[in-house]
Amino acid sequence: MADIIRIIGIDPGLRRTGWGVIDTIGNSLRFVASGTVTSDGDLDLASRLCQLHDGLAEMVHAYKPDEAAVEQTFVNKDAVATLKLGQARGVVMLVPARAGLPVSEYAPNAVKKSVIGVGHGDKKQIHMMLKILMPKVEFKGDDAADALAIAICHAHNRGGNRMRQALAG
């Protein structure tokens, strides 16, 4: 009998950080939960980062994943927005790491390729494939759907990714 591995996928964002939890049993995937942690845009940056930390820490504590996967950020033309996203991403990586989880990172194109078969696609394609891969899936919004896609990408790549990390470390 195959072991159950619980994975939390996280789509970092300062306004909305999506999270999605799946179980892998052998080659099969099972939806557990998904949602979004939000921060109050009227607050200062430090307070918003605390809101993300606390909300995500609550999810990690509630669902007790074995591994975490985070989407890598891309650089955009707005340097200030990129820096703030990087700070949010730091919080997002810190929460599972502080809980003792291994944290893997995946490029957005790798996530899409893993879920829809190609590196470029739209949100509707991701939503459709999530429903095919996990018929009982539930998600509200793109951030939660993206987080589930990140978790699926990790489920498909976790063995190779652990080997690469071990060789690099």
Side-chain angles (χ1 to χ4, degrees):
M1 174 130 178
D3 290 334
I4 296 174
I5 305 295
R6 179 159 286 180
I7 299 168
I8 185 166
I10 308 169
D11 182 30
L14 183 58
R15 287 189 191 119
R16 292 176 310 276
T17 290
W19 60 271
V21 179
I22 64 170
D23 285 342
T24 63
I25 307 106
N27 289 332
S28 66
L29 304 172
R30 185 176 68 204
F31 170 76
V32 176
S34 69
T36 306
V37 175
T38 59
S39 72
D40 183 346
D42 292 333
L43 296 178
D44 61 279
L45 179 61
S47 297
R48 292 177 75 187
L49 294 173
C50 282
Q51 287 179 323
L52 293 179
H53 174 278
D54 294 348
L56 195 56
E58 186 178 319
M59 295 307 107
V60 168
H61 177 74
Y63 292 102
K64 299 181 180 9
D66 300 303
E67 300 176 6
V70 177
E71 187 170 71
Q72 294 174 339
T73 55
F74 56 90
V75 178
N76 59 37
K77 294 176 185 172
D78 183 351
V80 173
T82 301
L83 181 59
K84 287 180 180 178
L85 178 58
Q87 291 169 319
R89 190 168 177 276
V91 168
V92 161
M93 293 186 69
L94 175 69
V95 169
R98 293 283 297 168
L101 305 179
V103 180
S104 298
E105 302 173 62
Y106 297 95
N109 285 349
V111 172
K112 289 178 183 174
K113 187 171 185 174
S114 183
V115 175
I116 61 176
V118 293
H120 300 281
D122 63 21
K123 301 288 184 187
K124 289 180 184 177
Q125 289 174 301
I126 291 172
H127 293 193
M128 182 184 71
M129 284 305 297
L130 288 174
K131 291 174 184 174
I132 290 170
L133 293 169
M134 297 180 298
K136 295 182 181 183
V137 72
E138 296 175 16
F139 53 87
K140 291 183 182 173
D142 291 340
D143 300 300
D146 288 349
L148 287 166
I150 294 161
I152 290 169
C153 177
H154 181 64
H156 293 167
N157 294 287
R158 59 187 291 277
N161 198 32
R162 278 199 319 247
M163 189 181 312
R164 282 189 295 278
Q165 288 176 339
L167 291 173

